[in-house]
Amino acid sequence: MDLSSLANCLGSPACVVTQVTSGLIIGMLLFLVAAGLTLIFGVLKVINFTHGAFYMLGAYFALTIFQLTGSYVATLLGAALATALVGLAFERFFMSRVYGQNILMQLLVCYGFILIFDDSVKIIWGPEFKSMGMPSTFQVPPLFIAGGVVPPFYLFLVGVTVAIGIALWLVIERTRFGKTVRAAAHNPSMVSALGVNTGILYGLVFALGGLLAGFAGALAAPVRSLTPGMGFSILIESFIVTVIGGMGSIVGAFVGSLLIGLIRTFGSVGFPLFTEGLMYLFMVVVLIAKPTGLFGKEVA
Amino acid sequence: MTGNRKSRLDRRTLLKGTSAAAIGIIGAPLIARGQAKPIKIGMPTILSGRVAQLGASSRNGVMLEVEKVNAAGGLAGRPIEMVIRDSKGAPQEAARVARELVNSDGCEILIDAEASSGAFAVHEVARDLKVLCLHTNSETSSLTADPKLRIPNAFRVARQGIHDSIVGGGYAAKIAEAKKLTKWMTCSPDYAYGRDTTAQFIEYLKHFKKDIEVVGEAWPKLFQPDYTEVVTKILQTKPQAMYSCLWGGDLTSFIDQGNIYALFTQIETFAVNMADYTALTVVKNLPKGIHSGNRYIKTFPKTAANAAWGDAYRAKYKEYPTNWAWQNATVIQFLAAAAKKVNSADGAKLAEALRGLTIESPFGTDGKLTLRAEDQTLVGYAIGWGTTIPAEPYVPETTAGDWKQITELEAEWKKKNNYT
C-alpha cells in the first residue's frame, strides 16, 4: 500500500489529469464491450460468453483492413460491420437454437465457439502476436493539459466512444426499434403476438452487440498486441462491469466501466500490488449493498 | 481396351509376382535388422497458446540440425527420430508428456524445450527415470546453479538469467556513467522470471555504478492487455532511465502504448528482450535507441557462420530464428559431437561425453560453445547489448560481454546464494 503517493497524486493537478484520462481510456473500451454484453443479456437473457471473441475478431479485421486500405476510418467502420455480420450469423445459426435450453447448454455452445473463433484466427492470421501500428494521423507528440499528459489518439478514442454511447442510448430510448427491443426484453411473447418477428429482432440485437465489440477491437488494435485468445481478459473485465452496473442496463455499463477504469489507474498509484484485487473487492461491495448492481432492476 | 490387356496376365506371371512379394514381406525384417535402430528423442514444448511461436521455432531449430546429422549418418550410426509433443505451457502437462515419451514412445533422450515453469517439472521426471535430459529454453539460473537440483543426466543448453544480468548491469552502468543517469525505474512482468531478473539486473547495475537510485517499480501482470496505467505511472515518477524485462506481445503492446505518450524519447530505456526478431519485426513504430540484450540476432556475433545460419533458417521457415531456435539447434550439435566422441548413442555414455565438451558453433562469442563440467550448463555463448534502429538489421552494433568477468561474478553470486 502506498497511500502517501495516492495523496500526493490527488494533490497534483498534473497527476489527476493523467490518471483520470487514462482511467477514461481503459473504461471506454470496456464500455463498448460491456454495452453489447449487457444489451444481449437484457433482451435475450443469455450471457454471451463469445463476446470477447467478437472483440478479438474486430481487432483482427481492423489489422487486415488497415493493411489493405491504410485508412483508419475505413478500418473502424469495416471492422465493426464485419463483426456485426459474424454476430448476426452466430445468433441465427447457433445461439437461436439453444434459447429455451439449460444455461449449461448455452455456456457450452459459447465456450465451443470461443475455441472455434480462436483457432480460426490462428489458421487465418497465424498463432504469433501481431501489431497494427499507430495510424500516421495520430503519430504526434502528446498534449500537455494542466501538466498532465494526454495522447491525441486517446482523446479521439474517448470522444468516439462517448458519441457511440450517446447514440446507443438514443436508439434504445427514443426510436421505434429501441422501443421494440425494450418491449421484447420485458415480455417477448407479447411482442411476438403483436406481430413483431422476434427472431429477426434477436439477430439484430446480436449484430448490434457484435458491432460495438468489433468497434472496440478496431479502436484497441493500434495500441494492443493482437493474439488469438486476446478476448478472454476483456470478457472477464466487461463481465465485472455489467455485474457492477446491473445486468441489462446500458447506463449501468457506462458508469461501471468508468469506475473500473478509475479504480485501475488510481489503484495502481495507491495500491500497486492490489490493483486487480481492488476491482473484485469493489464488485463484492456493490453486490452486498445492491445485489442487482448499481442500475439493475429487480427481476419480476 | 485396357481391360483386355489386364486380363492377359497369365498364371506364370501371377506366380512370379506373388512369390516375389512374399519374399519381400518375409525378407524385409532381415534387411532392417542389419541397419541401426533409429534413436528416438522426445521433446515436450509449447505449441499452443501465446508462446506457441517460440515452441514452433524450437522445433524448427531442432529439425534444421537433425536433417544435417541424419544425412551424415545419425548418432553413432543411428538416425535420429524426433517425437515432439505440445505441453500447452502447463508444467503438469509437460511432466506427463515427458514421462509418456520415455515410457510409452520409447524415447531414449529428452530435449526439454519448455519455459522455466515446465522445465523444473521435466527435470524431476528426468531424475526419476534417469534418462538423459537437455534443457534448452529455461533461463532460470537455479535450475543448474543449485546443487540440490543437480543430477548427472541433466544439462542446460541455453542462456542464463545471471549471465544476462551481469552483462546487462555492466553495459547499463557504462551508459549511466556517460549520460549521468542516476534515477532509475523498473517495469517488468509480475511473476518469478520478471521479479528475479529485474532484481539481479539492478543488483549488478549498482555493483558497477554505486550512485544508482531506484525511484519506482511497476509490475504489470503477465499478458496484461493494457499498460496505460503503467505508462502514466512511469511518467509521473519521472525517472531518467528504465529497465524492463517484458517480452513478446507484452513488450510490443507496452512499446505501442508508451509511444503515444512519447515515453521512450523522455526516458533512456533498457529492455533486455527487445532485440528478438519476434518483437523487432512486429512493432510497427520501433523507437530508435532502445538498449537491449541480444536474444538471437544475425549480426551478433558478426561472423559469416552466424549470418549464414540465420539466412538458412529464414529460407527454410520463412521467418527469422528466435532465441529458442538457436538453443535447440545447439543441443543437436552437442549430441552429434558427443556421439562421435564415444561412438555410441547410449544416454549414460553421452552424458559422460557432454560434461565439459566444447564444440565449434556459430553462436559462440569466439566461435566455440562449452557445456561447463561443474554445473552442466552452457557457457561461452554470444552475449551482449546494443541499441535498436527501426529497420533491418535492427541492432547494427552489439557490445559483447566479457566471459572472464561473467565467470568471476557468477562464482561470487553462487557463493552468496550457498550454491557451492
Side-chain angles (χ1 to χ4, degrees):
Chain A
M1 226 191 303
D2 199 356
L3 289 178
S4 63
S5 325
L6 187 60
N8 282 344
C9 178
L10 291 174
S12 120
C15 184
V16 171
V17 168
T18 311
Q19 298 300 328
V20 167
T21 47
S22 53
L24 280 176
I25 296 148
I26 297 171
M28 287 299 105
L29 281 178
L30 262 182
F31 165 65
L32 286 181
V33 180
L37 196 65
T38 206
L39 188 72
I40 291 171
F41 177 81
V43 178
L44 301 163
K45 303 288 178 286
V46 294
I47 299 164
N48 177 28
F49 279 99
T50 56
H51 217 70
F54 290 171
Y55 163 83
M56 169 187 72
L57 288 176
Y60 274 95
F61 288 143
L63 174 73
T64 299
I65 299 171
F66 188 70
Q67 279 168 351
L68 292 178
T69 65
S71 149
Y72 193 50
V73 176
T75 300
L76 284 174
L77 297 177
L81 284 175
T83 317
L85 285 178
V86 172
L88 182 67
F90 173 64
E91 195 278 339
R92 281 294 78 201
F93 293 121
F94 304 102
M95 269 321 264
S96 58
R97 294 171 197 275
V98 291
Y99 280 150
Q101 306 208 22
N102 192 317
I103 184 159
L104 286 177
M105 188 64 189
Q106 298 174 349
L107 258 179
L108 206 61
V109 169
C110 286
Y111 188 64
F113 270 90
I114 291 177
L115 299 180
I116 291 173
F117 284 134
D118 278 358
D119 278 359
S120 310
V121 164
K122 253 185 236 169
I123 292 166
I124 300 170
W125 284 279
E128 65 278 9
F129 60 89
K130 306 265 179 196
S131 161
M132 186 183 115
M134 186 55 63
S136 53
T137 327
F138 295 109
Q139 286 183 26
V140 286
L143 308 171
F144 290 87
I145 300 172
V149 195
V150 182
F153 176 71
Y154 284 164
L155 274 187
F156 167 78
L157 188 154
V158 172
V160 168
T161 317
V162 169
I164 289 176
I166 293 172
L168 184 67
W169 184 80
L170 286 175
V171 165
I172 299 291
E173 296 293 324
R174 295 289 146 87
T175 64
R176 193 178 163 75
F177 171 73
K179 210 181 259 181
T180 324
V181 167
R182 277 180 293 136
H186 194 68
N187 191 341
S189 41
M190 177 62 85
V191 171
S192 176
L194 288 173
V196 175
N197 185 337
T198 46
I200 291 181
L201 185 71
Y202 290 169
L204 286 177
V205 168
F206 248 89
L208 186 57
L211 189 83
L212 294 170
F215 205 85
L219 278 174
V223 284
R224 295 188 180 176
S225 65
L226 279 55
T227 51
M230 68 186 277
F232 187 70
S233 60
I234 199 152
L235 175 75
I236 302 284
E237 287 190 2
S238 51
F239 195 62
I240 295 173
V241 163
T242 51
V243 169
I244 289 175
M247 300 288 286
S249 163
I250 303 267
V251 177
F254 189 81
V255 175
S257 306
L258 282 185
L259 285 173
I260 291 294
L262 293 175
I263 285 175
R264 282 198 79 103
T265 51
F266 283 99
S268 76
V269 177
F271 309 89
L273 298 177
F274 196 60
T275 318
E276 291 286 314
L278 218 54
M279 206 162 69
Y280 292 95
L281 192 68
F282 182 66
M283 179 172 80
V284 170
V285 171
V286 168
L287 283 181
I288 291 171
K290 199 162 181 298
T292 52
L294 294 176
F295 292 83
K297 294 190 186 91
E298 288 298 336
V299 183
Chain B
M1 289 295 275
T2 31
N4 276 346
R5 239 175 241 165
K6 252 190 194 161
S7 66
R8 253 189 241 157
L9 185 88
D10 60 18
R11 192 175 53 94
R12 247 164 241 252
T13 335
L14 188 73
L15 261 177
K16 267 187 217 159
T18 17
S19 49
I23 291 167
I25 292 163
I26 301 162
L30 291 172
I31 299 163
R33 220 171 287 161
Q35 284 175 347
K37 181 179 150 216
I39 177 157
K40 281 191 180 177
I41 302 181
M43 174 163 155
T45 189
I46 307 170
L47 295 171
S48 56
R50 191 141 168 180
V51 200
Q53 190 185 8
L54 288 175
S57 77
S58 304
R59 179 179 58 199
N60 293 346
V62 158
M63 294 315 291
L64 193 65
E65 299 304 313
V66 163
E67 272 174 31
K68 290 182 206 162
V69 171
N70 279 350
L75 293 186
R78 293 174 65 186
I80 299 174
E81 189 185 322
M82 292 300 303
V83 188
I84 303 172
R85 296 260 162 80
D86 183 13
S87 70
K88 305 180 182 74
Q92 69 279 15
E93 185 71 2
R96 191 189 65 75
V97 167
R99 204 170 275 280
E100 192 180 275
L101 283 166
V102 176
N103 288 341
S104 313
D105 296 274
C107 293
E108 296 173 51
I109 300 172
L110 281 177
I111 292 179
D112 157 46
E114 288 291 319
S116 286
S117 50
F120 282 87
V122 175
H123 193 76
E124 290 314 308
V125 174
R127 184 196 301 276
D128 185 27
L129 301 179
K130 305 201 169 39
V131 61
L132 175 59
C133 172
L134 302 131
H135 303 292
T136 52
N137 293 335
S138 170
E139 299 174 32
T140 306
S141 300
S142 60
L143 181 65
T144 48
D146 187 348
K148 286 197 284 298
L149 286 171
R150 198 168 305 143
I151 45 176
N153 52 320
F155 295 78
R156 182 212 307 268
V157 188
R159 59 171 64 243
Q160 210 180 126
I162 184 68
H163 300 160
D164 267 335
S165 300
I166 293 169
V167 175
Y171 171 87
K174 277 198 196 102
I175 307 276
E177 193 62 51
K179 298 195 174 179
K180 308 220 177 333
L181 311 170
T182 53
K183 287 167 127 185
W184 282 67
M185 190 162 169
T186 65
C187 172
S188 295
D190 192 9
Y191 73 116
Y193 163 78
R195 294 255 169 194
D196 293 353
T197 312
T198 304
Q200 283 174 3
F201 175 88
I202 295 295
E203 185 185 334
Y204 285 101
L205 174 61
K206 285 181 173 167
H207 172 90
F208 291 109
K209 184 168 161 52
K210 305 289 174 224
D211 58 343
I212 296 288
E213 188 196 353
V214 177
V215 292
E217 296 172 13
W219 299 103
K221 69 176 201 285
L222 189 61
F223 304 152
Q224 181 167 322
D226 197 293
Y227 294 87
T228 306
E229 79 236 23
V230 175
V231 172
T232 55
K233 185 180 167 178
I234 298 168
L235 289 171
Q236 301 300 338
T237 315
K238 298 195 179 67
Q240 293 168 302
M242 168 174 58
Y243 169 80
S244 174
C245 66
L246 288 168
W247 52 275
D250 288 6
L251 179 61
T252 57
S253 282
F254 179 67
I255 299 268
D256 281 339
Q257 293 171 25
N259 261 337
I260 58 177
Y261 283 95
L263 184 69
F264 306 106
T265 56
Q266 303 172 43
I267 296 165
E268 198 82 23
T269 305
F270 295 76
V272 58
N273 296 322
M274 186 72 245
D276 190 293
Y277 285 114
T278 54
L280 290 169
T281 52
V282 166
V283 177
K284 291 293 185 302
N285 315 109
L286 182 70
K288 188 169 171 286
I290 290 194
H291 303 275
S292 174
N294 73 311
R295 302 292 295 168
Y296 174 80
I297 192 104
K298 225 174 70 174
T299 52
F300 179 70
K302 228 178 196 127
T303 58
N306 184 33
W309 188 83
D311 287 334
Y313 182 101
R314 195 182 185 195
K316 192 166 164 81
Y317 300 111
K318 308 288 173 268
E319 61 181 21
Y320 272 125
T322 68
N323 184 57
W324 287 21
W326 79 259
Q327 291 174 171
N328 283 279
T330 301
V331 81
I332 300 295
Q333 294 167 353
F334 264 111
L335 280 176
K340 203 170 187 179
K341 196 171 150 193
V342 291
N343 194 28
S344 163
D346 173 70
K349 284 186 189 151
L350 285 175
E352 204 47 56
L354 284 170
R355 211 164 291 126
L357 185 64
T358 297
I359 60 166
E360 304 278 324
S361 163
F363 316 117
T365 298
D366 52 4
K368 285 189 178 68
L369 291 175
T370 302
L371 275 177
R372 188 165 56 193
E374 60 172 87
D375 53 359
Q376 307 182 164
T377 195
L378 188 70
V379 291
Y381 56 88
I383 182 168
W385 278 66
T387 54
T388 55
I389 53 168
E392 290 242 34
Y394 299 113
V395 185
E397 291 299 330
T398 308
T399 315
D402 171 12
W403 272 101
K404 193 168 155 285
Q405 186 183 49
I406 297 173
T407 316
E408 282 168 16
L409 289 172
E410 187 192 10
E412 275 176 37
W413 171 81
K414 280 185 174 170
K415 212 176 277 171
K416 211 167 57 190
N417 284 282
N418 293 323
Y419 282 162
T420 44

